């Protein structure tokens, strides 16, 4: 029997964001109904990663971090929880994979931003590894679009220049950061939707899982 897939998402207080994450997990399950898929959260929401793994008991499990950057959860939190559990393997996080960049570009196109420079809105991190991946995502998006792309760190004091260029969203789902950005951008320019439930993202989650299964538990 192939291992179960446990999707480890960040978690959000946004009802819309939570619904998007649940819908993405459902789409992952629908793509391969023969493999059990569960969803857990690394912050804010329940069940936690610990609770989800305890619930699965001694079953073989592959944890796929539903995260775009190698920050605290990827480098510290998830490995610490998985340590000592012989039945658990952790896959690579999603990162600035080319299919992720394609999905970001598609959302920007859907928002109607077809020309001009772009800001890539992303959650900042104090970890150099995470910041490096966001910078790589911006470089890959610039190459994909053939237009300049600059990282826009999201936060309460995010300052968007005026006139505002189009904003691509390096986020998986809705949440407080994006709500705040939209409020500050009201009437000033285009803010693309987050990646959300995207077929390429569903395939990438399974690809990460398959990488672990090819090595073997």
């Amino acid at each position: 029997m192939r291992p179960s897939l446990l999707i480890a998402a960040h978690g959000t207080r946004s009802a819309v964001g939570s619904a998007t994450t649940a819908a993405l997990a459902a789409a992952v399950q629908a793509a391969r109904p023969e493999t059990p898929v569960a969803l857990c959260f690394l912050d804010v929401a329940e069940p936690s990663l610990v609770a989800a793994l305890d619930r699965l008991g001694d079953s073989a499990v592959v944890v796929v971090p539903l995260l775009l950057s190698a920050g605290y959860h990827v480098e510290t939190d998830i490995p610490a929880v998985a340590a000592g559990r012989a039945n658990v393997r952790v896959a690579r996080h999603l990162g600035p994979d080319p299919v992720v960049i394609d999905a970001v570009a598609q959302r920007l196109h859907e928002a109607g931003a077809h020309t001009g420079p772009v800001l890539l809105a992303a959650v900042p991190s104090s970890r150099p590894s995470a910041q490096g991946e966001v910078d790589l995502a911006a470089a890959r998006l610039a190459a994909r679009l053939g237009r300049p792309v600059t990282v826009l760190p999201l936060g309460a004091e995010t300052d968007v220049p005026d006139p505002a260029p189009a904003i691509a969203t390096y986020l998986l789902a809705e949440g407080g950061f994006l709500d705040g950005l939209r409020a500050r951008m009201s009437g000033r320019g285009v803010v693309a939707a987050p990646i959300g439930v995207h077929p390429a993202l569903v395939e990438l989650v399974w690809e990460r899982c398959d990488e672990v299964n090819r090595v073997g538990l």
Side-chain angles (χ1 to χ4, degrees), residues 100-177:
V100 171
I101 303 307
D102 286 345
V104 171
Q106 180 180 333
R107 297 295 184 234
L108 186 65
H109 179 80
E110 291 168 351
H114 306 305
T115 60
V118 173
L119 295 178
L120 180 64
V123 177
S125 173
S126 60
R127 302 248 169 167
S129 53
Q131 189 55 53
E133 289 191 339
V134 172
D135 290 341
L136 177 58
R140 287 181 170 174
L141 183 61
R144 170 73 170 72
L145 298 174
R147 296 149 62 185
V149 175
T150 304
V151 175
L152 176 68
L154 288 172
E157 303 302 323
T158 298
D159 183 27
V160 180
D162 205 3
I167 298 181
T169 305
Y170 196 59
L171 298 169
L172 295 173
E174 301 285 345
F177 284 119

Side-chain angles (χ1 to χ4, degrees), residues 134-215:
V134 172
D135 290 341
L136 177 58
R140 287 181 170 174
L141 183 61
R144 170 73 170 72
L145 298 174
R147 296 149 62 185
V149 175
T150 304
V151 175
L152 176 68
L154 288 172
E157 303 302 323
T158 298
D159 183 27
V160 180
D162 205 3
I167 298 181
T169 305
Y170 196 59
L171 298 169
L172 295 173
E174 301 285 345
F177 284 119
L178 192 53
D179 290 343
L181 176 62
R182 286 200 181 107
R184 286 187 291 277
M185 284 288 291
S186 180
R188 295 179 56 202
V190 171
V191 179
I195 296 170
V197 184
H198 193 287
L201 203 61
V202 172
E203 292 180 10
L204 183 59
V205 170
W206 280 118
E207 182 180 319
R208 293 291 189 257
C209 183
D210 290 341
E211 289 174 356
V212 174
N213 286 330
R214 282 195 290 270
V215 174

Side-chain angles (χ1 to χ4, degrees), residues 9-24:
H10 185 275
T12 176
R13 292 182 177 86
S14 166
V16 176
S18 296
T20 298
T21 303
L24 178 58

